[in-house]
């Protein structure tokens, strides 16, 4: 006999109202772009292409955060069998894939002028691409299984296993000889950036994190409505 | 001399904006479609008085 699953899908879905969090997130991201473009100095050696730094590492941070939340929600699901946690994991995985896509694309755009190539099979880049494939696979797996309990269980396992790659990706620049630059912040010593650049960098981290929260909330509401529809059509 | 490579960062910022706006729009459209189907399913199920 399968374990009973709490779906909470019968409850009416959240109202489609004006989303203030989206507006705040959009304003913060626009403010970050304006500060990065007009009020942050150009780095002398790399030139204007260095300004990709204000979108590339923050996107990578949000992708890691999103997949970390997938892992935590998936562990929670396997423990409590609450489908709300499964929906949270699904929502976070989709948003994480979007941010990982941006990380890979902006990294490539930085690599061309600085390294002279769009892509290199370096440990950091390759493992990030692998992470992207894992979570795209996670979303495909979810689409392939109809039974909600089985879908949640299988995808929880994949969601947890995929997240094990995150510390490896972060440490890959220390473990291997890579072309990828060392961390500027998130390292034991002080951040190696002038204050003007550091403030823009931190602002970008904050605004992208708020954007993640807004997208996650919207995507979770969609997942709740989808579950209610599945329950309604199953009656 | 500072290298002239502004086009790359302009492209990166445009990609970030387009991907996020596209994704947010896709969530909004999918939710609208799901809610319409949900409303139709609930109307269909409601007994006639």
């Amino acid at each position: 006999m399968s374990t009973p699953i709490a779906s909470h899908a019968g409850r009416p879905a959240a109202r489609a109202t004006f989303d203030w969090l989206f507006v705040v997130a959009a304003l913060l991201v626009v403010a970050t772009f304006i500060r990065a473009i007009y009020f942050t100095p150009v780095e002398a050696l790399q030139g204007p292409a260095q300004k990709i730094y204000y979108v590339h590492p923050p996107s990578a941070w949000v992708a890691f955060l999103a997949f970390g939340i997938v892992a935590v929600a998936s562990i929670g699901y396997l423990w409590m069998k609450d489908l709300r946690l499964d929906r949270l994991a699904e929502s976070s995985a989709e948003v994480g894939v979007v941010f990982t896509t941006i990380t890979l694309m902006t990294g490539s755009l930085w690599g061309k002028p600085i390294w002279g190539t769009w892509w290199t099979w370096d440990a950091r880049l390759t493992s990030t691409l692998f992470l992207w494939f894992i979570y795209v696979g996670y979303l495909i797996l979810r689409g392939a299984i109809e039974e909600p309990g089985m879908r949640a269980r299988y995808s929880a396992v994949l969601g947890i296993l995929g997240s094990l790659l995150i510390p490896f990706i972060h440490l890959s620049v220390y473990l291997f000889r890579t072309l990828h630059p060392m961390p500027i912040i998130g390292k034991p010593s002080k951040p190696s950036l002038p204050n003007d650049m550091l403030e823009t960098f931190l602002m970008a981290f904050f605004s992208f994190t708020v954007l993640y929260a807004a997208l996650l909330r919207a995507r979770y509401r969609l997942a709740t409505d989808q579950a209610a529809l599945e329950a309604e059509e199953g009656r | 001399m500072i290298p002239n490579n502004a086009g790359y960062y302009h492209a990166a910022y445009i990609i970030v904006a387009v991907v996020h706006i596209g994704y947010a729009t896709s969530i909004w459209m999918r939710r609208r479609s799901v809610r319409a189907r949900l409303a139709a399913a609930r109307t269909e199920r409601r007994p006639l008085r």
Side-chain angles (χ1 to χ4, degrees):
Chain A
M1 199 177 121
S2 61
T3 319
I5 292 167
S7 79
H8 305 274
R11 206 176 293 169
R15 293 188 315 278
T17 50
F18 178 76
D19 196 335
W20 59 268
L21 190 57
F22 250 126
V23 177
V24 171
L27 288 174
L28 280 170
V29 172
V30 169
T32 304
F33 274 26
I34 291 171
R35 184 182 162 95
I37 294 167
Y38 299 109
F39 301 102
T40 307
V42 174
E43 207 265 344
L45 289 175
Q46 295 188 21
Q50 181 271 338
K51 291 194 178 193
I52 294 174
Y53 265 32
Y54 306 120
V55 292
H56 175 73
S59 299
W61 144 252
V62 170
F64 292 169
L65 173 70
F67 296 141
I69 286 177
V70 173
V72 171
S74 298
I75 292 167
Y77 170 77
L78 291 177
W79 186 22
M80 292 185 277
K81 297 285 184 272
D82 185 335
L83 280 175
R84 285 177 298 184
L85 289 167
D86 174 56
R87 291 200 285 273
L88 175 63
E90 175 197 13
S91 306
S92 195
E94 194 181 280
V95 179
V97 165
V98 170
F99 277 94
T100 312
T101 306
I102 288 175
T103 305
L104 291 168
M105 291 173 86
T106 53
S108 207
L109 278 162
W110 178 84
K112 182 62 182 165
I114 306 302
W115 292 340
T117 179
W118 297 104
W119 182 264
T120 174
W121 294 102
D122 151 293
R124 171 66 74 89
L125 277 68
T126 308
S127 51
T128 307
L129 181 65
F130 192 50
L131 185 75
W132 184 85
F133 274 120
I134 288 175
Y135 284 97
V136 168
Y138 172 98
L139 296 174
I140 292 170
L141 176 73
R142 293 193 67 89
I145 304 173
E146 279 192 16
E147 204 278 306
M150 189 189 286
R151 178 174 61 209
R153 201 163 57 248
Y154 287 178
S155 52
V157 172
L158 184 57
I160 295 164
L161 292 177
S163 71
L164 299 178
L165 202 55
I166 295 170
F168 174 79
I169 294 172
H170 183 69
L171 296 173
S172 60
V173 288
Y174 300 106
L175 298 172
F176 301 95
R177 281 180 58 194
T178 66
L179 270 177
H180 195 281
M182 291 286 173
I184 292 169
I185 58 171
K187 57 175 185 166
S189 55
K190 281 174 74 178
S192 38
L193 269 181
N195 277 347
D196 278 357
M197 292 180 173
L198 183 63
E199 283 165 14
T200 309
F201 201 59
L202 294 175
M203 188 176 168
F205 269 80
F206 178 69
S207 59
F208 276 47
T209 307
V210 176
L211 180 63
Y212 163 70
L215 289 170
L216 179 64
R217 192 170 75 151
R219 183 59 186 81
Y220 181 80
R221 286 173 171 174
L222 169 63
T224 305
D225 285 351
Q226 283 170 333
L229 180 64
E230 268 181 22
E232 197 69 36
E233 288 178 343
R235 280 180 189 174
Chain B
M1 197 179 125
I2 294 176
N4 179 19
N5 51 22
Y8 291 98
Y9 104 82
H10 291 154
Y13 282 38
I14 289 167
I15 283 172
V16 171
V18 168
V19 170
H20 283 310
I21 291 168
Y23 181 57
T25 309
S26 99
I27 293 177
W28 178 73
M29 287 177 71
R30 282 184 286 167
R31 187 158 186 231
R32 200 175 63 157
S33 151
V34 167
R35 288 177 69 86
R37 284 173 60 196
L38 189 57
R42 282 178 178 163
T43 312
E44 218 169 75
R45 205 168 51 85
R46 198 174 296 153
L48 295 171
R49 292 186 183 173

